[in-house]
């Protein structure tokens, strides 16, 4: 539906979104190690060993012994670091790059790590709920990233974002418009586009988890729904006005101090 380009939303509590940057770097590194397939069969082995397979997780099927690399429960997280192709990776990382920093800012670094993991788990469980006997591995960070989008919608619906609508039309819109439409589309697609090779349920489950988790995991005092928007420009404007024209009482006091 849209590709995010930029949001005019400065960080307020942290100096650098290093968890977001670390997650992007980790996904890119795993993609390079797995998808370049320098050793024949690496990609297929990784997908089946680390992807989330509902039938295996729900004990309807078993993996061959050579694919049993991690406990089944860990696949709820490991699947989110695997991607099918470069477009799959780039799309997820673009959304995480634009929206992840402000969610990390609102939660704090450590809680953002936990938040991302919980949204990943929620996405996988939602996928498994819709198709519990599927033997196809689920891969991709979409579930966790959808949680980031849901959280951003709850935190900053009025912030203006630049997007490419339908991948080609640049638009500057309040974040609520593209994000709400995107999330509603995921829920509708569970029914309307069930035959496509996309886990709409993982997207929807991750987004719903993000919308709920951000309410309880955000820093104390962080407002929801942009009830307080303070930008550096606004702060500079207020201070400049105050310095140029102090109240009458303050002028007299400052005069005595001089």
């Amino acid at each position: 539906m849209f590709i995010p380009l930029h949001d005019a939303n400065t960080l307020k509590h942290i100096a650098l979104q290093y968890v977001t940057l670390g997650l992007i770097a980790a996904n890119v590194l795993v993609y390079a190690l797995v998808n370049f397939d320098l050793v024949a069969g690496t990609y297929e082995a990784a997908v089946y060993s680390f992807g989330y397979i509902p039938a295996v997780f729900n004990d309807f099927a078993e993996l061959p012994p050579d694919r049993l690399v991690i406990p089944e429960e860990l696949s709820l997280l490991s699947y989110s670091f695997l991607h099918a192709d470069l477009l799959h990776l780039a799309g997820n990382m673009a959304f995480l790059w634009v929206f992840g920093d402000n969610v990390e800012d609102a939660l704090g670094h450590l809680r953002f790590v936990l938040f991302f993991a919980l949204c990943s788990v929620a996405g996988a469980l939602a996928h498994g709920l819709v198709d519990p006997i599927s033997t196809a591995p689920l891969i991709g960070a979409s579930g966790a990233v959808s949680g980031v989008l849901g959280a951003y919608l709850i935190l900053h619906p009025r912030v203006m974002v630049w997007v490419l609508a339908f991948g080609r039309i640049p638009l500057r819109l309040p974040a609520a418009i593209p994000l709400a439409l995107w999330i509603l589309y995921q829920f509708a697609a569970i029914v309307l586009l069930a035959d496509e090779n996309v886990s709409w349920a993982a997207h929807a489950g991750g987004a719903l988890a993000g919308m709920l988790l951000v309410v309880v995991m955000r820093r104390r005092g962080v407002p929801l729904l942009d009830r307080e928007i303070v930008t550096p420009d606004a702060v500079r404007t207020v201070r400049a006005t105050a310095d140029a024209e102090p109240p009458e009482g303050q002028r007299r006091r400052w005069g005595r101090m001089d």
Side-chain angles (χ1 to χ4, degrees):
M1 292 180 65
F2 75 96
I3 300 171
L5 299 176
H6 174 70
D7 65 335
N9 197 359
T10 56
L11 300 177
K12 301 172 181 64
H13 303 283
I14 60 176
L16 181 67
Q17 66 278 28
Y18 59 77
V19 175
T20 298
L21 297 175
L23 287 169
I24 293 173
N27 275 276
V28 172
L29 177 61
V30 170
Y31 180 86
L33 293 173
V34 171
N35 292 64
F36 289 168
D37 215 19
L38 298 178
V39 177
T42 300
Y43 174 75
E44 182 181 353
V47 166
Y48 278 92
S49 296
F50 298 101
Y52 170 72
I53 305 175
V56 174
F57 185 82
N58 294 319
D59 295 325
F60 292 116
E62 293 185 0
L63 284 173
D66 61 328
R67 299 289 167 84
L68 289 173
V69 178
I70 59 173
E72 297 167 5
E73 293 77 13
L74 288 183
S75 68
L76 294 169
L77 295 174
S78 59
Y79 83 95
S80 65
F81 290 92
L82 299 168
H83 290 85
D85 52 42
L86 189 58
L87 186 61
H88 189 200
L89 172 71
N92 280 331
M93 295 306 100
F95 278 88
L96 183 57
W97 168 257
V98 173
F99 299 111
D101 58 341
N102 295 108
V103 178
E104 181 178 346
D105 187 48
L107 271 60
H109 302 303
L110 293 179
R111 274 178 288 186
F112 183 64
V113 172
L114 178 60
F115 170 88
F116 196 85
L118 290 174
C119 290
S120 172
V121 171
L125 293 178
H127 173 73
L129 183 65
V130 171
D131 195 359
I133 62 173
S134 172
T135 57
L138 173 68
I139 60 173
S142 302
V145 173
S146 295
V148 172
L149 303 189
Y152 196 99
L153 175 62
I154 297 299
L155 290 168
H156 303 298
R158 292 192 287 163
V159 166
M160 303 302 291
V161 298
W162 278 101
V163 302
L164 279 180
F166 306 107
R168 64 188 65 188
I169 306 172
L171 295 174
R172 187 171 183 261
L173 302 167
I177 294 176
L179 293 182
L181 288 175
W182 187 87
I183 292 172
L184 289 173
Y185 182 84
Q186 309 312 306
F187 279 93
I190 294 174
V191 176
L192 301 177
L193 301 173
D195 294 334
E196 290 198 8
N197 191 29
V198 176
S199 180
W200 309 109
H203 298 175
L208 182 59
M211 295 170 70
L212 296 174
L213 287 171
V214 72
V215 175
V216 297
M217 294 183 69
R218 73 190 193 278
R219 297 173 187 269
R220 181 175 298 180
V222 170
L224 301 176
L225 303 176
D226 280 329
R227 285 179 293 187
E228 298 177 15
I229 298 181
V230 179
T231 65
D233 288 338
V235 173
R236 283 196 293 269
T237 301
V238 171
R239 288 177 179 171
T241 303
D243 291 341
E245 299 181 7
E248 185 63 29
Q250 289 186 1
R251 292 179 193 168
R252 288 197 294 267
R253 287 197 296 272
W254 292 348
R256 288 197 296 270
M257 288 176 65
D258 292 337

